[in-house]
Amino acid sequence: MPGSPSEPYEPSEPYKPADPYEPSEPYEPADPYEPAAPYEPSEPYDLAVIGAGPAGLAGAVAARELGLSVAVLDAAPQTGGQYFRHPAPGLGAARPQALHHDWSEFTALRGRFEASGVTHLPHHHVWTVGPPDGDGIWTVHALTGPDAHGGTPARVRARTILLATGAYERQLPFPGWTLPGVIGAGGAQAVLKSGLVLPGRRIVVAGSGPLLLAVASSLAAAGARVPAVVEASGYLGYARRPYALAVGPHKLLEAAVHGSALLRHRTPLRTRSAVTEAHGTDRVEAVTVSRLDRAWRPVPGTGRRIACDALAVGHGLVPQTELATGLGCATRRTPDGTHALALDALQESSVPGLWAAGETGGTGGWDLARTEGELAGIAVAARLRGLPALTRSRRARALARRRDRLRAFADAMAAAHAPGPGWTAWLPDDTDVCRCEEVTAGSIRGAAGALGARDARTVKLLTRAGMGWCQGRMCAAAVACLAAEGGRAGGRGDGVGSEDGTAQGTVPPSAERRPLAVPVPLGALADLPEENGRPRTTG
């Protein structure tokens, strides 16, 4: 059956009028759509895509092959996003595909992108998107350069926007997590893929989620010793969702490959366990691994010390939605307790003219991201060209079916690895939760208990937690959970998770509307052009 997960994903050929459409509204190729040749910076593109990962590339290619002018902005120097992060050419990597699954499919997509005529704008750090002006034109504001600090301001104007901004790691703090050598699980994989560097020689991999198996097998293949993979959840949650398993055989096969790699390297997998403390002086030297009950509370007397010189830890991914929520886009709560954008059947957000694809709408892997990106690209072209039949084409229907199947599997994964409400029991009062501002768990508990704060925003106003350089990305989940804990009788970790591991009673970070998605110099704000004699607003 077309689009079945068991069959290889075939990139579509450029769209042709002969492609069959619903008989109720046949496609009539009127005058060919001719995008104006090369756009000047002051002229609007039909579509601006923010993010050059699989979702952004697929969306850009689909829209361009349907005749739209497209610009893709991305902070990285190369396409691929976080999943297909790869070494810079100067490093001379002989086999960049060695650390990737589905590398050939990515290179095929990248080849189509490079041949499509899409304008690629690397090193563009997007910090806000201005709402449509009187002519319906959006303005994307970015800073150019290797990093956003001190970059040159740039603007891109477009009739529509596709957000493909991905996700970042969720961190649940513990004593010692600020020691050198403690790194995010995805961060460890990123430095290995892009820099061919190991964060240590003896690396414990810990947290929750399917990413852990991939990280551990990659580190082991690169020569690191991985004494343990520590998974806070179990895997029974998958068995309780047989339909989701049936539509995700490719993911199950990938997990089996990672599992066999761990067996070859004699790496034990410890489920229902967590790193509850890291030890060391100038660098992490060992970790304590404790068994967890079904609510993720540490079981007394089960702590075991494991020597290591690095710890790669992460508890899933958080959709990166700041640009969208700053524009008022609606969000939904995901099965693992984060916020993702609420999207319609064609990937459009609640704000007309703004689409999203990939992890922005809920984490689910690169194949889902690519599928959603292509569907969004078709939808944008249908809207701008006035051809609604494009969204009912055979290809669009196959993409929608595939998206739904992959999303069902992604939701099953999210539910199986959702943090339990009792995890805060491993967090003593003197542990730094907000690393940037050095705010402790005790200070946050005090704000929630004695001062009555019940959400992350109020805690931030009272303690400065989340006001630092990372803008709360590292601590927001912990701050929100501690704030909610202060409003429950009994204090620490009294909530109980469900039997399949979902987090009943946990509270996700609030989807705050931030006008700035990344730190930006005041000079960039001062340089914004004026509208009607007043500075242009930023959303």
Side-chain angles (χ1 to χ4, degrees):
M1 185 174 73
S4 172
S6 60
E7 298 177 359
Y9 180 97
E10 294 293 337
S12 62
E13 295 295 324
Y15 286 81
K16 301 176 182 178
D19 189 33
Y21 289 82
E22 289 290 341
S24 59
E25 192 169 352
Y27 173 66
E28 295 291 340
D31 296 331
Y33 181 85
E34 295 290 342
Y39 274 72
E40 296 295 330
S42 60
E43 293 180 317
Y45 290 87
D46 292 320
L47 172 65
V49 180
I50 302 174
L57 296 183
V61 168
R64 181 60 186 154
E65 289 178 349
L66 283 165
L68 303 190
S69 58
V70 183
V72 174
L73 301 88
D74 193 75
Q78 304 179 89
T79 59
Q82 295 295 335
Y83 190 92
F84 287 108
R85 183 188 287 262
H86 49 283
L91 291 177
R95 297 176 60 244
Q97 70 275 20
L99 296 173
H100 293 277
H101 287 277
D102 304 321
W103 179 257
S104 61
E105 294 185 59
F106 165 66
T107 55
L109 176 60
R110 182 177 61 183
R112 292 173 63 205
F113 175 78
E114 292 171 347
S116 67
V118 170
T119 300
H120 179 209
L121 302 173
H123 286 312
H124 276 61
H125 307 263
V126 176
W127 56 272
T128 196
V129 177
D133 60 19
D135 296 322
I137 304 301
W138 301 77
T139 302
V140 180
H141 295 277
L143 295 173
T144 64
D147 58 59
H149 182 67
T152 303
R155 288 188 302 146
V156 172
R157 301 170 68 241
R159 295 181 174 87
T160 55
I161 301 291
L162 171 58
L163 293 177
T165 48
Y168 53 90
E169 283 192 273
R170 172 165 52 192
Q171 296 295 333
L172 303 182
F174 50 87
W177 76 307
T178 58
L179 281 170
V182 178
I183 187 174
Q189 191 176 51
V191 297
L192 177 59
K193 287 180 176 180
S194 62
L196 307 179
V197 174
L198 289 169
R201 301 304 304 176
R202 185 178 173 87
I203 310 168
V204 172
V205 178
S208 185
L211 178 63
L212 301 186
L213 298 179
V215 171
S217 61
S218 296
L219 294 174
R225 172 79 174 95
V226 182
V229 176
V230 184
E231 166 63 63
S233 299
Y235 291 96
L236 292 179
Y238 290 96
R240 293 187 175 90
R241 293 170 174 80
Y243 170 74
L245 294 179
V247 300
H250 180 70
K251 290 293 185 182
L252 295 179
L253 177 61
E254 190 174 312
V257 171
H258 292 316
S260 63
L262 297 182
L263 287 175
R264 286 197 310 273
H265 291 96
R266 300 180 181 178
T267 298
L269 173 62
R270 304 187 184 280
T271 60
R272 294 294 183 187
S273 302
V275 169
T276 53
E277 187 171 0
H279 310 277
T281 51
D282 297 328
R283 183 181 177 87
V284 62
E285 299 169 1
V287 297
T288 293
V289 175
S290 302
R291 291 282 297 168
L292 303 179
D293 65 16
R294 67 191 184 97
W296 282 37
R297 290 180 294 244
V299 177
T302 62
R304 177 186 174 187
R305 195 175 177 113
I306 299 177
C308 61
D309 62 1
L311 168 64
V313 60
H315 291 84
L317 300 174
V318 178
Q320 194 156 313
T321 62
E322 292 89 349
L323 290 172
T325 54
L327 290 163
C329 291
T331 62
R332 63 181 181 88
R333 183 170 175 173
T334 65
D336 62 347
T338 65
H339 276 112
L341 293 186
L343 305 172
D344 68 11
L346 294 174
Q347 302 298 128
E348 190 171 11
S349 74
S350 62
V351 175
L354 193 153
W355 281 259
E359 316 287 51
T360 315
T363 59
W366 95 273
D367 196 7
L368 175 59
R370 171 180 56 180
T371 302
E372 291 183 341
E374 185 174 351
L375 184 60
I378 294 172
V380 172
R383 174 76 56 81
L384 293 186
R385 296 183 62 181
L387 298 171
L390 284 174
T391 61
R392 296 191 294 274
S393 68
R394 181 172 58 189
R395 180 61 182 166
R397 294 198 307 270
L399 287 168
R401 290 193 299 269
R402 183 176 182 83
R403 186 265 320 273
D404 293 343
R405 288 193 293 267
L406 292 173
R407 178 58 67 191
F409 185 81
D411 287 346
M413 284 195 304
H417 296 283
W423 73 267
T424 55
W426 73 54
L427 204 55
D429 283 345
D430 61 354
T431 304
D432 279 338
V433 172
C434 175
R435 296 151 59 116
C436 300
E437 297 293 327
E438 299 182 336
V439 181
T440 65
S443 297
I444 296 170
R445 287 185 173 119
L451 301 179
R454 293 293 180 267
D455 58 75
R457 181 176 179 81
T458 306
V459 170
K460 178 169 68 174
L461 295 174
L462 293 172
T463 67
R464 294 190 59 83
M467 286 190 178
W469 186 257
C470 80
Q471 297 185 308
R473 289 179 179 86
M474 293 291 289
C475 67
V479 171
C481 288
L482 288 169
E485 173 189 278
R488 292 198 301 262
R492 302 180 188 179
D494 287 335
V496 178
S498 64
E499 291 184 359
D500 63 358
T502 56
Q504 295 179 351
T506 59
V507 177
S510 59
E512 297 180 24
R513 294 185 60 174
R514 294 179 178 270
L516 310 179
V518 298
V520 58
L522 290 177
L525 300 178
D527 288 341
L528 288 176
E530 293 186 350
E531 290 181 337
N532 300 324
R534 293 180 298 178
R536 182 190 297 270
T537 59
T538 58

